[in-house]
Amino acid sequence: MTRARAGRYNHPMLTIDHLHKRYGQKPAVRDLCLEVAAGELYAFLGPNGAGKTTTLKCVVGLLRPSEGRVVVDGHDVQAEPIAAKRVMSYVPDRPYLYEKLSGREFLAFAGRMYGVDRLTCARRADELLALFDASEWADELCENYSHGMRQKIVMSAALIHDPRVLVIDEPMVGLDPLSARTVKTVLRERVADGCAVLMSTHTLSVAEEVADRVGIIHRGRLIAEGTCEELRRQASARGRLEDIFLELTAGVEAGAAGAAAAAAE
């Protein structure tokens, strides 16, 4: 079933406006434009090195765009970083925790950083730890955690202040099937409550299952965007998202190879 493009909502919570990012002379992201509405989960797909993580780091203010801008809930991320970050959370592809804090202490730290009062923070921490089946390990030091446990704590920290925009990079890495299902359920619940989610993933089946819209980035450019059904109409493939993805990215590669050959003649 195809979901409504922006659920019950129609205003953009996240706008990426003609974003360029270069490392020296090498372009990583080229003239990228997209919007994610409140109440929408937008899945960001692309091969390794396509520019997904660079884009997400520009969105959350960890990288400064070479050109263009990112606007979150009406706030330019570069001009008004505190206001933009106050309503946003970021889950990186490699979860980082303070090794000498326990999981519960890390959640308390994250909550206080966002101005959540202590009682609310403690209640939310208990709820999130239970939700992700992490309560048993909550008082152990983070240095003893597996990758999957770290991912659960980072996800919990990202949700503790009830963000309006969630930016998440490869959320399923290191999670067992039950935890992965929990994350998918949580993401859809957040979207139903009006959160805007921008999710980068290599797991195409996850994108197909939970996303309202999908954007495919290749060589730093957005080459296709839409619901899974709309992407099927753009491609000759009529099956899984994986088949559509491979066809569209292969077409870009063929076009680039042809252009290079023509330039060399």
Side-chain angles (χ1 to χ4, degrees), residues 193-205:
D193 287 340
C195 184
V197 179
L198 175 61
M199 178 186 73
S200 169
T201 182
H202 282 111
T203 312
L204 301 183
S205 60

Side-chain angles (χ1 to χ4, degrees), residues 63-226:
L63 290 175
R64 181 179 292 274
S66 302
E67 297 176 44
R69 65 177 190 151
V70 176
V71 178
V72 174
D73 194 22
H75 303 287
D76 186 299
V77 171
Q78 293 301 318
E80 304 174 85
I82 301 301
K85 293 174 184 179
R86 185 174 288 120
V87 299
M88 182 167 47
S89 275
Y90 174 50
V91 180
D93 56 342
R94 297 179 182 177
Y96 178 82
L97 300 171
Y98 292 113
E99 301 289 286
K100 297 303 181 181
L101 294 181
S102 69
R104 194 182 304 277
E105 289 169 337
F106 184 80
L107 295 186
F109 169 75
R112 296 299 291 167
M113 287 288 288
Y114 281 104
V116 182
D117 68 81
R118 293 184 186 278
L119 288 177
T120 302
C121 190
R123 175 180 56 79
R124 289 283 292 150
D126 285 342
E127 292 171 351
L128 290 162
L129 289 166
L131 177 64
F132 287 106
D133 193 25
S135 301
E136 182 180 354
W137 286 86
D139 297 306
E140 297 290 331
L141 294 182
C142 293
E143 65 184 5
N144 298 321
Y145 288 167
S146 66
H147 180 89
M149 185 63 188
R150 288 169 178 262
Q151 191 78 345
K152 292 177 181 181
I153 297 297
V154 168
M155 282 287 297
S156 298
L159 297 173
I160 201 158
H161 68 293
D162 196 23
R164 299 178 66 187
V165 176
L166 178 61
V167 179
I168 183 167
D169 199 354
E170 297 293 347
M172 306 305 171
V173 173
L175 294 180
D176 59 75
L178 179 59
S179 298
R181 176 183 290 182
T182 299
V183 169
K184 288 184 284 188
T185 300
V186 168
L187 291 177
R188 287 310 314 173
E189 288 175 347
R190 295 296 307 159
V191 167
D193 287 340
C195 184
V197 179
L198 175 61
M199 178 186 73
S200 169
T201 182
H202 282 111
T203 312
L204 301 183
S205 60
V206 171
E208 194 162 24
E209 183 177 352
V210 303
D212 298 298
R213 284 192 300 147
V214 173
I216 298 176
I217 186 174
H218 190 45
R219 294 178 176 266
R221 297 186 185 278
L222 192 68
I223 63 169
E225 181 184 57

Side-chain angles (χ1 to χ4, degrees), residues 24-44:
Q25 296 301 312
K26 183 177 180 181
V29 179
R30 314 181 197 203
D31 199 27
L32 179 64
C33 297
L34 65 85
E35 289 184 344
V36 185
E40 178 180 37
L41 195 156
Y42 188 107
F44 204 37

Side-chain angles (χ1 to χ4, degrees), residues 43-59:
F44 204 37
L45 309 180
N48 289 334
K52 300 186 302 298
T53 295
T54 294
T55 298
L56 266 54
K57 287 183 175 180
C58 288
V59 167

